[in-house]
Structures are given as structure tokens and as C-alpha cells.
Amino acid sequence: MSILNNGLVFAGTRGLATRCILFIIETCGKELVSAILGASANEKTWWSSETSEELWEVADRYGIPYLESMDDISRHGGFLVSVLWSSIFPAHILAQFDRGGINLHPAPLPEYRGSDGRTHAILNGDKSFGVTVHHLSEHLDGGDIIDELRFPVLPSETALSLDTRAQLYGYALFCEVWLRLLDGSATRRSQAALIAEDKREAGLYNTRMTSELLESPDVPRSAEQLEQLYRALYLPPLITPPKWLVGRVQTHERLVSVSDLVGLKPR
């Protein structure tokens, strides 16, 4: 049965969510969207610089009901679309969407389930990263994969630059998957099967792990380790490297600069 039946509830945050809901409206009309779930209306968000229009403003412009609590969403439609939504949908809420739902996850699956994948990808020294659209399930980021888009991690990548690129690739992937969902050509791959076939390893990351990195003491590290940790924790204004790390990196940069100058002195 078509995902257009029974209406659609959209949940999300950040500028990427705004772009995705506008694409849905452009392709299917505002009548399809029964409700939008997002951050508190009329409050400044940390991602306000990413978009000229918040989700609540989109809802207001098109006359779509705007919700601020997950408890209210299931009575509004039969299909759920999630883009960078920051909370887990409980099983009893998902069960009330008879058409199911999809989620745009800003990291590769199943390797980077959970949150802050960009930070840990840099720390893990990954050569590639990616974005994934998958079916929603009661298991965190565990639903069948509809499609993914992977791209190289640059040598000087920071969490901020990786996050920015993931949003760009994420929007392109979402638009492609959405059109395939509409014409019925979308397929699905089981994450469990990928893991069982030894094609991928599952990983789970959370904000507590990032907090531990931010609170970690200043212990002996090589210049390369310091620089890698700094890049992994550089995601302003959401995350900023601790002062001790900034100081160590700056000190190293000054030492390198002085060393270069000394090397240029005539003998």
C-alpha cells in the first residue's frame, strides 16, 4: 500500500530536516503532511545558523499542525519520517504507524548506530564515512537499510566539516530514496544479514562517550594524537574541545612554526 495513504508525520531537527520536509511538500503537496514534530517553537536553536526557516515556521507557513511531544504524533498519520530526530521512538509509538516509517541517519550503518558518529569516525581513523536511510524499528538504528551514500574522510577532517558534508550527502540521498518510495522501486537490506555475512561490523556510540572525551584528563599524547582528538571534538557551537586540548595543540603549532623559522635561518 502507498505511503501516501493515511497521511504522514514528519519529525526532525536542524537545517537538513527543513530541506527534507520542503522536498516532501514540493513533490507531494502540503496535504500529505498531517503533522510536524520538532523543537520548541519560537525558541532559538543551536543550529539556527544552518537554516533560514525552522520546522515550526514551515508548519506555520503551510498550515500544518506543529507538535513538540512524541506522545501526540501517532494520531496524526500512518507513515513516519524522521530526519536527525534526537530521541528514540518507543515501540508502542512505532506500532501505531500502519505504514511504518523511515529515518535518515547521519552515519554509516550498522557501524555507527547511535549518536556522534562523525567524532568517532575521526578517532577511529576511518577512510570513509556515509549517510543512511533505513526503516524505523524498535531497535536503535537497527531497521533494514533502504540505501546509503558513502564518501571519503579527508585528512584534515573535523567533526564540523564531516557533519556539514554528511548533511549535504544526506539531503541528496533522502531526495533519491523518497522518489523511489513514491514509485515503489525502493528495496531493503537487513542489517542483521550484513553482519552475519561478515560484510560489516555493528558499532554503537552515544553522547556519554563524547562527554567522557571532553572530560578526559591531559595525559601524555603524541602531537598526532592531540591533533586527531582536537579535530574529532571540533563541532561548534554544539561541541568545543576542552581548554587543555586547545592549549596543547596551539603550543605544538607554535613549536612547529618556530622550528620552521629556525630551519630557514642562514648559516
Side-chain angles (χ1 to χ4, degrees):
M1 301 180 72
S2 172
I3 62 172
L4 299 182
N5 295 341
N6 277 348
L8 173 152
V9 175
F10 183 93
T13 60
R14 306 188 61 181
L16 179 55
T18 296
R19 294 193 291 275
C20 289
I21 186 61
L22 288 176
F23 185 77
I24 290 174
I25 292 173
E26 289 168 3
T27 54
C28 301
K30 64 180 182 179
E31 295 76 18
L32 171 67
V33 185
S34 302
I36 295 176
L37 171 66
S40 298
N42 299 302
E43 290 187 9
K44 185 177 178 60
T45 59
W46 69 263
W47 61 80
S48 59
S49 61
E50 294 180 355
T51 180
S52 59
E53 192 172 29
E54 294 280 3
L55 280 179
W56 67 266
E57 293 175 302
V58 173
D60 184 63
R61 177 155 66 96
Y62 287 101
I64 300 170
Y66 189 75
L67 313 173
E68 298 178 6
S69 171
M70 284 196 298
D71 296 333
D72 301 325
I73 65 175
S74 58
R75 60 187 175 87
H76 281 276
F79 191 76
L80 177 60
V81 176
S82 170
V83 175
L84 303 187
W85 181 243
S86 56
S87 301
I88 300 172
F89 293 104
H92 73 274
I93 287 183
L94 292 178
Q96 296 178 52
F97 287 89
D98 56 10
R99 300 291 180 272
I102 61 170
N103 177 54
L104 172 55
H105 183 66
L109 291 176
E111 300 95 316
Y112 286 96
R113 293 170 175 167
S115 58
D116 296 345
R118 66 234 152 187
T119 287
H120 296 283
I122 292 173
L123 288 176
N124 292 339
D126 289 356
K127 301 302 182 183
S128 66
F129 197 61
V131 290
T132 313
V133 177
H134 65 95
H135 287 279
L136 284 165
S137 76
E138 59 186 87
H139 303 293
L140 177 61
D141 297 326
D144 291 354
I145 295 172
I146 303 173
D147 206 352
E148 62 184 359
L149 190 56
R150 302 211 176 196
F151 52 91
V153 175
L154 305 177
S156 59
E157 203 86 72
T158 65
L160 178 61
S161 64
L162 195 55
D163 177 78
T164 301
R165 295 172 66 216
Q167 289 201 56
L168 294 173
Y169 282 103
Y171 178 66
L173 178 64
F174 180 87
C175 293
E176 180 182 343
V177 167
W178 180 252
L179 294 177
R180 283 197 273 131
L181 286 169
L182 293 181
D183 68 19
S185 64
T187 58
R188 56 199 299 166
R189 289 176 291 166
S190 165
Q191 292 190 44
L194 289 173
I195 296 170
E197 295 166 5
D198 293 328
K199 293 182 177 179
R200 302 191 186 174
E201 294 184 4
L204 177 62
Y205 299 87
N206 54 47
T207 55
R208 176 183 56 78
M209 298 168 70
T210 305
S211 296
E212 290 175 353
L213 288 170
L214 291 167
E215 296 166 3
S216 63
D218 182 3
V219 298
R221 291 178 173 88
S222 68
E224 291 76 13
Q225 290 172 327
L226 288 170
E227 188 260 351
Q228 183 185 46
L229 182 59
Y230 180 89
R231 289 187 292 107
L233 295 176
Y234 186 80
L235 183 61
L238 181 61
I239 303 173
T240 54
K243 290 182 179 180
W244 70 260
L245 178 56
V246 175
R248 289 281 301 279
V249 170
Q250 290 177 341
T251 298
H252 173 70
E253 289 176 346
R254 285 196 296 270
L255 290 174
V256 171
S257 178
V258 170
S259 176
D260 290 343
L261 289 173
V262 170
L264 290 174
K265 283 185 177 180
R267 301 192 176 189

